[in-house]
Amino acid sequence: ALRTGETFSRNPISRWRFRARQSVLVGVTAVLLSACGSDGPPEGQIGFVSVDFGGVVSDEPRSALIGRDILSSGGNAVDALVATYFALSVTYPGAASLGGGGMCVVFRGGEETVETIDFRPQVYVKDGRAAMIPGAVRGMFALHARYGRLQWEALLLPAERLARFGNPVSRAFARRLAKVPPRKLTDTVARRLFAPSGKMIGEGEVLSQF
């Protein structure tokens, strides 16, 4: 028998339980859908961020595109800087030499702080002889260790591929090379890379550095 009275009502309780079951079902469905993930690329792959991921400026277009791809992969500004720098050292070494150095100013907007890293080359003197110690690679590593997000290896991979498999010489680099007479290349490795046939390589020719 159904009990009724002022102190007991079965219908409201039944409706509440039905609604509770609906809420639980909706919650479980949402969890399952989120677990399935999206169809987009995972973090670390191009396309993870598809819009409003920033921009990169460089002296050579291919290195700028690599920096853009790092941003699209979910990297931050420092990740893009590191990848662009090492790519530029391959595609336009006159603008970014591994034997150089520099300074970097980092503004952290969320904390309203400004920090600097000084990695200028140092001069080492012994017995009257001086040698310059490059700081660029160490500086890039320090920047990434403090501010980077993606893996270090992922940032160097594009540059490594360009150096190993070759890349077409850009117009900017070709113009820089054209100003250097081949006879000025006293280093045998540099002559093999940049003037293999006795004259400087030109725009569009493939430059391999392995």
Side-chain angles (χ1 to χ4, degrees):
L2 177 63
R3 180 180 176 183
T4 60
E6 295 180 357
T7 59
F8 187 85
S9 174
R10 184 178 181 87
N11 290 337
I13 295 176
S14 299
R15 287 195 297 270
W16 179 85
R17 287 179 178 174
F18 177 72
R19 291 172 181 170
R21 286 196 297 269
Q22 282 185 318
S23 300
V24 172
L25 180 60
V26 171
V28 172
T29 303
V31 171
L32 290 176
L33 289 176
S34 62
C36 292
S38 64
D39 295 331
E43 184 177 11
Q45 293 188 13
I46 300 173
F48 174 73
V49 181
S50 58
V51 295
D52 299 332
F53 49 75
V56 177
V57 178
S58 176
D59 290 343
E60 191 275 332
R62 194 168 290 101
S63 61
L65 293 175
I66 287 174
R68 178 206 62 183
D69 291 343
I70 293 297
L71 293 177
S72 178
S73 301
N76 58 22
V78 169
D79 292 326
L81 164 67
V82 172
T84 300
Y85 169 78
F86 282 105
L88 192 61
S89 70
V90 176
T91 60
Y92 195 8
S97 170
L98 296 180
M103 298 182 66
C104 186
V105 179
V106 180
F107 172 68
R108 308 182 74 172
E111 302 176 9
E112 294 294 332
T113 59
V114 177
E115 298 175 335
T116 62
I117 291 184
D118 185 349
F119 51 94
R120 288 174 292 180
Q122 302 295 317
V123 178
Y124 177 74
V125 181
K126 183 178 181 180
D127 299 331
R129 296 183 177 181
M132 180 175 290
I133 303 176
V137 175
R138 185 177 181 181
M140 291 296 115
F141 184 83
L143 282 167
H144 176 264
R146 186 170 181 83
Y147 307 107
R149 179 175 180 178
L150 300 183
Q151 292 184 350
W152 171 259
E153 295 82 359
L155 305 180
L156 269 63
L157 182 59
E160 190 271 341
R161 287 177 173 172
L162 288 172
R164 179 181 297 273
F165 301 110
N167 64 281
V169 175
S170 67
R171 180 173 302 175
F173 190 32
R175 288 178 175 175
R176 176 68 67 89
L177 288 174
K179 298 178 181 180
V180 181
R183 65 178 183 276
K184 295 291 186 179
L185 296 178
T186 57
D187 182 79
T188 56
V189 175
R191 187 162 54 250
R192 175 179 61 84
L193 291 176
F194 304 121
S197 61
K199 65 177 182 178
M200 289 295 187
I201 56 177
E203 179 183 352
E205 295 185 57
V206 176
L207 171 63
S208 176
Q209 301 186 38
F210 267 78

